[in-house]
Amino acid sequence: MAELKYQQIADNLRSRITDGEFGPGDMLPSGRDLCVQWGVSRATVVKAMDVLRHDGIVTAQQGSGFTVVETPVARPAGRRGMGPRAIGGRPFRRLGTPDWQLPPPRVAEALQVGEGVAALRRDRLVLLDEGDPFSLVSAWFPRNVADMCPRLAQASPLAEGTTAYVSRMTGRSPVTGVDVSTTRLATREEAELLGVERPTAVAVMLHTAYDRDGGVLVCEEGVTPGDLWEAVDQYPMGRAG
């Protein structure tokens, strides 16, 4: 099914932001310019901007239009859904430079790669509102995904989010997510990055996203101190007979 016009406009602006045409704090083209460029009504442009705003990519400036956010948001590992990325999103900072590494056994199994096969690793530290560490997330991408998404190998954050970027570049969208929660003690490196003392219990969320054919798009391992981790499930319950 063809994309609606407002989706096309939103996707076009996402890619231009990711490619660096518009940086943090930059003003996006005016609504009038976008209406002329795309041959659409103002209502269509407003709907496109609402999509980007709800995804935490742009912010409205009173009386002047929309600018790219200064601080992008990211979600902790797991609990992915169809809602806007900004829901559950938190400020974050990128750690180091993405590189090819051998994933730990449980990640390699989730990625469906054989023993000794490297994957592209990107690390981020998700923060609390006051700037303290909240969760350490390592995202692992199989080679067939990473090779089609060159910006994954760059240290800069992706304003549109890795999911949207991977979907745009590969034509493959996530349709199924599997989350596995476990607990253990933090490693020395994890404790240092999370600002906790050892021994400290951490919750580990292993999130794997699959496309419609069962191919793996990404595997994320999120590590959160036990005193900050919380899981909430809401579900219908039948009346007792």
Side-chain angles (χ1 to χ4, degrees), residues 106 179-185 201-206 221-224 226 229:
R106 69 194 300 254
D179 295 343
V180 179
S181 300
T182 55
T183 59
R184 58 170 171 79
L185 294 178
V202 292
V204 182
M205 174 68 76
L206 186 70
E221 186 175 52
V223 179
T224 307
W229 190 80

CSV table of all heavy atoms in Angstrom, one decimal, residues 106 179-185 201-206 221-224 226 229:
chain,number,residue,atom,x,y,z
A,106,ARG,N,24.5,-15.6,24.4
A,106,ARG,CA,23.0,-15.5,24.3
A,106,ARG,C,22.6,-14.4,23.2
A,106,ARG,O,21.6,-14.6,22.6
A,106,ARG,CB,22.4,-15.1,25.7
A,106,ARG,CG,22.8,-13.8,26.2
A,106,ARG,CD,22.4,-13.6,27.7
A,106,ARG,NE,21.0,-13.9,28.0
A,106,ARG,CZ,20.2,-12.9,28.3
A,106,ARG,NH1,20.6,-11.6,28.3
A,106,ARG,NH2,18.9,-13.2,28.5
A,179,ASP,N,11.1,-10.3,24.2
A,179,ASP,CA,11.8,-9.8,25.3
A,179,ASP,C,12.0,-10.9,26.3
A,179,ASP,O,11.1,-11.5,26.7
A,179,ASP,CB,11.1,-8.6,25.9
A,179,ASP,CG,10.9,-7.4,25.0
A,179,ASP,OD1,11.7,-7.3,24.0
A,179,ASP,OD2,10.1,-6.5,25.3
A,180,VAL,N,13.3,-11.0,26.8
A,180,VAL,CA,13.6,-12.0,27.8
A,180,VAL,C,14.3,-11.3,28.9
A,180,VAL,O,15.3,-10.6,28.8
A,180,VAL,CB,14.6,-13.1,27.3
A,180,VAL,CG1,14.9,-14.1,28.4
A,180,VAL,CG2,13.9,-13.8,26.1
A,181,SER,N,13.7,-11.4,30.2
A,181,SER,CA,14.2,-10.7,31.3
A,181,SER,C,14.9,-11.7,32.3
A,181,SER,O,14.4,-12.7,32.6
A,181,SER,CB,13.1,-10.0,32.1
A,181,SER,OG,12.4,-9.1,31.3
A,182,THR,N,16.1,-11.3,32.7
A,182,THR,CA,16.9,-12.1,33.7
A,182,THR,C,17.5,-11.1,34.7
A,182,THR,O,17.5,-9.9,34.5
A,182,THR,CB,18.0,-12.9,33.0
A,182,THR,OG1,18.8,-12.0,32.2
A,182,THR,CG2,17.3,-14.0,32.1
A,183,THR,N,18.1,-11.7,35.7
A,183,THR,CA,18.8,-10.9,36.7
A,183,THR,C,20.2,-11.5,36.9
A,183,THR,O,20.4,-12.7,36.8
A,183,THR,CB,18.1,-10.8,38.0
A,183,THR,OG1,17.9,-12.1,38.6
A,183,THR,CG2,16.7,-10.1,37.9
A,184,ARG,N,21.1,-10.7,37.3
A,184,ARG,CA,22.5,-11.1,37.7
A,184,ARG,C,23.2,-10.0,38.4
A,184,ARG,O,22.6,-8.9,38.6
A,184,ARG,CB,23.3,-11.6,36.4
A,184,ARG,CG,23.4,-10.5,35.3
A,184,ARG,CD,24.4,-10.9,34.3
A,184,ARG,NE,24.4,-10.0,33.1
A,184,ARG,CZ,25.0,-8.9,33.0
A,184,ARG,NH1,25.7,-8.4,34.1
A,184,ARG,NH2,25.0,-8.1,31.9
A,185,LEU,N,24.5,-10.2,38.7
A,185,LEU,CA,25.3,-9.1,39.3
A,185,LEU,C,25.9,-8.3,38.2
A,185,LEU,O,26.3,-8.9,37.1
A,185,LEU,CB,26.3,-9.7,40.2
A,185,LEU,CG,25.8,-10.4,41.5
A,185,LEU,CD1,26.9,-10.9,42.3
A,185,LEU,CD2,24.9,-9.4,42.3
A,201,ALA,N,22.9,-5.9,42.1
A,201,ALA,CA,22.0,-6.7,41.2
A,201,ALA,C,21.5,-5.9,40.1
A,201,ALA,O,21.1,-4.7,40.3
A,201,ALA,CB,20.8,-7.3,42.0
A,202,VAL,N,21.4,-6.4,38.9
A,202,VAL,CA,20.9,-5.7,37.7
A,202,VAL,C,19.9,-6.6,37.0
A,202,VAL,O,20.0,-7.8,37.1
A,202,VAL,CB,22.0,-5.3,36.7
A,202,VAL,CG1,22.9,-4.2,37.3
A,202,VAL,CG2,22.8,-6.5,36.3
A,203,ALA,N,18.9,-5.9,36.4
A,203,ALA,CA,17.9,-6.6,35.6
A,203,ALA,C,18.5,-6.5,34.1
A,203,ALA,O,18.9,-5.4,33.7
A,203,ALA,CB,16.6,-5.9,35.7
A,204,VAL,N,18.4,-7.6,33.4
A,204,VAL,CA,18.9,-7.6,32.0
A,204,VAL,C,17.7,-7.9,31.1
A,204,VAL,O,17.1,-9.0,31.3
A,204,VAL,CB,20.0,-8.7,31.9
A,204,VAL,CG1,20.6,-8.6,30.4
A,204,VAL,CG2,21.2,-8.4,32.9
A,205,MET,N,17.5,-7.0,30.2
A,205,MET,CA,16.4,-7.2,29.2
A,205,MET,C,17.1,-7.5,27.8
A,205,MET,O,17.8,-6.7,27.3
A,205,MET,CB,15.5,-6.0,29.1
A,205,MET,CG,14.5,-6.1,28.0
A,205,MET,SD,13.2,-7.3,28.3
A,205,MET,CE,12.2,-6.4,29.5
A,206,LEU,N,16.8,-8.7,27.3
A,206,LEU,CA,17.3,-9.0,25.9
A,206,LEU,C,16.1,-8.9,25.0
A,206,LEU,O,15.2,-9.7,25.0
A,206,LEU,CB,17.8,-10.4,25.9
A,206,LEU,CG,18.5,-10.9,24.6
A,206,LEU,CD1,19.8,-10.1,24.4
A,206,LEU,CD2,18.8,-12.4,24.6
A,221,GLU,N,20.6,-5.5,24.4
A,221,GLU,CA,20.7,-6.0,25.7
A,221,GLU,C,20.8,-4.8,26.6
A,221,GLU,O,21.8,-4.0,26.6
A,221,GLU,CB,22.0,-6.9,25.9
A,221,GLU,CG,22.1,-7.5,27.3
A,221,GLU,CD,23.2,-8.5,27.4
A,221,GLU,OE1,24.4,-8.1,27.1
A,221,GLU,OE2,23.0,-9.6,27.8
A,222,GLY,N,19.8,-4.6,27.5
A,222,GLY,CA,19.7,-3.5,28.4
A,222,GLY,C,20.0,-3.9,29.8
A,222,GLY,O,19.4,-4.9,30.3
A,223,VAL,N,20.9,-3.2,30.5
A,223,VAL,CA,21.3,-3.5,31.9
A,223,VAL,C,20.9,-2.4,32.8
A,223,VAL,O,21.3,-1.2,32.6
A,223,VAL,CB,22.8,-3.8,32.0
A,223,VAL,CG1,23.2,-4.1,33.4
A,223,VAL,CG2,23.2,-4.9,31.0
A,224,THR,N,20.0,-2.6,33.8
A,224,THR,CA,19.4,-1.6,34.6
A,224,THR,C,19.6,-2.0,36.1
A,224,THR,O,19.3,-3.1,36.4
A,224,THR,CB,17.9,-1.4,34.3
A,224,THR,OG1,17.8,-1.1,32.9
A,224,THR,CG2,17.4,-0.2,35.1
A,226,GLY,N,18.9,-2.8,39.8
A,226,GLY,CA,17.7,-3.4,40.3
A,226,GLY,C,16.7,-2.4,41.0
A,226,GLY,O,15.5,-2.6,40.9
A,229,TRP,N,14.7,-0.6,38.1
A,229,TRP,CA,14.0,-1.4,37.1
A,229,TRP,C,12.6,-1.7,37.6
A,229,TRP,O,12.4,-2.1,38.8
A,229,TRP,CB,14.7,-2.7,36.9
A,229,TRP,CG,14.2,-3.5,35.7
A,229,TRP,CD1,14.4,-3.3,34.4
A,229,TRP,CD2,13.3,-4.6,35.8
A,229,TRP,NE1,13.8,-4.2,33.6
A,229,TRP,CE2,13.1,-5.0,34.4
A,229,TRP,CE3,12.7,-5.3,36.8
A,229,TRP,CZ2,12.3,-6.1,34.1
A,229,TRP,CZ3,11.9,-6.4,36.5
A,229,TRP,CH2,11.7,-6.8,35.2
